[in-house]
Amino acid sequence: MSDGDIRAMLDLAVCAPSGGNRQPWHFVVIRDPGTRRAICDYYLEAFRRYKHGVLRQAADGHAAAQAQVARWERSGAPDAFAESLGRIPVLILVCLDRERLGLGNADPSAPLPPIAYASIYPAVQNLLLAAHGLGLGAVLTTLHMPYEREIKELLGVPAHVHTAALVPVGHPKRKHGPPRRIPAAERTHRERWENI
């Protein structure tokens, strides 16, 4: 993937809206194989805990977890993705600068208010759409978050900056069609909740 492709994706990412137009984003583009492998190791550990939790919830009768396990049985658990993360040519760590949001005086280890993420995820969506438009594969994941402190230290990310998403980008092995989604009509309510 060319530097031009990455620049095009990031130029489109920063066209996103943000609260007060504060544009709190930073992007760490990671190509170094050793760094990608180190991030993959953290990601794999988090993934294994996540998968174990889903399987445990499914066994306990949790409907959403059972549906997730059923999807894994049909199309395969995402183990291969987690295991291959370090081989994906580019990882983009999307970061949220709490000082740009006016939250700089707060404890940098304190969780951000949920509304803060409304100022970063539109940029992530633009990044994903730009990658798709270039014929690249990209996905949003946040599973790195249990190891945010270690990953920030690895990459030299300052304390007041939070990692909001990890976006692996590469050339897909096969063409993917539209994503499988529950039809909008099944989740659309007219005027009141009971009117579906």
Side-chain angles (χ1 to χ4, degrees):
M1 165 179 342
S2 72
D3 289 340
D5 286 343
I6 294 170
R7 190 168 38 256
M9 288 185 293
L10 296 176
D11 284 344
L12 289 169
V14 300
C15 291
S18 61
N21 196 28
R22 293 185 180 206
Q23 305 172 49
W25 38 68
H26 289 270
F27 307 92
V28 182
V29 178
I30 305 152
R31 289 184 170 213
D32 177 73
T35 305
R36 287 184 286 123
R37 271 192 304 277
I39 292 171
C40 179
D41 290 343
Y42 291 125
Y43 190 90
L44 262 172
E45 184 59 35
F47 169 75
R48 289 179 181 128
R49 283 192 280 158
Y50 163 75
K51 184 178 176 186
H52 177 73
V54 169
L55 293 172
R56 187 180 66 248
Q57 287 178 332
D60 290 343
H62 189 276
Q66 289 173 335
Q68 180 69 56
V69 171
R71 281 191 298 277
W72 288 347
E73 289 170 353
R74 282 192 309 275
S75 50
D79 298 64
F81 171 76
E83 292 165 358
S84 68
L85 186 72
R87 294 190 303 273
I88 296 173
V90 175
L91 303 177
I92 300 175
L93 189 66
V94 182
C95 299
L96 178 60
D97 185 337
R98 70 185 305 131
E99 288 182 355
R100 297 272 315 162
L101 288 175
L103 302 170
N105 294 334
D107 175 6
S109 65
L112 285 167
I115 198 159
Y117 293 98
S119 289
I120 194 68
Y121 285 124
V124 175
Q125 178 69 3
N126 280 8
L127 178 63
L128 295 171
L129 291 171
H132 179 76
L134 292 168
L136 299 168
V139 66
L140 157 67
T141 182
T142 58
L143 209 50
H144 72 285
M145 294 294 282
Y147 294 97
E148 181 182 32
R149 183 178 52 78
E150 293 85 352
I151 291 172
K152 284 173 57 173
E153 186 176 307
L154 175 71
L155 301 173
V157 176
H160 67 277
V161 174
H162 290 269
T163 66
L166 182 64
V167 180
V169 184
H171 295 278
K173 289 184 179 178
R174 67 189 198 296
K175 184 170 173 50
H176 294 278
R180 292 180 299 249
R181 296 292 185 259
I182 296 168
E186 292 181 24
R187 297 293 169 97
T188 304
H189 307 265
R190 307 278 186 232
E191 308 299 338
R192 293 183 49 83
W193 187 264
E194 65 269 14
N195 298 333
I196 197 160

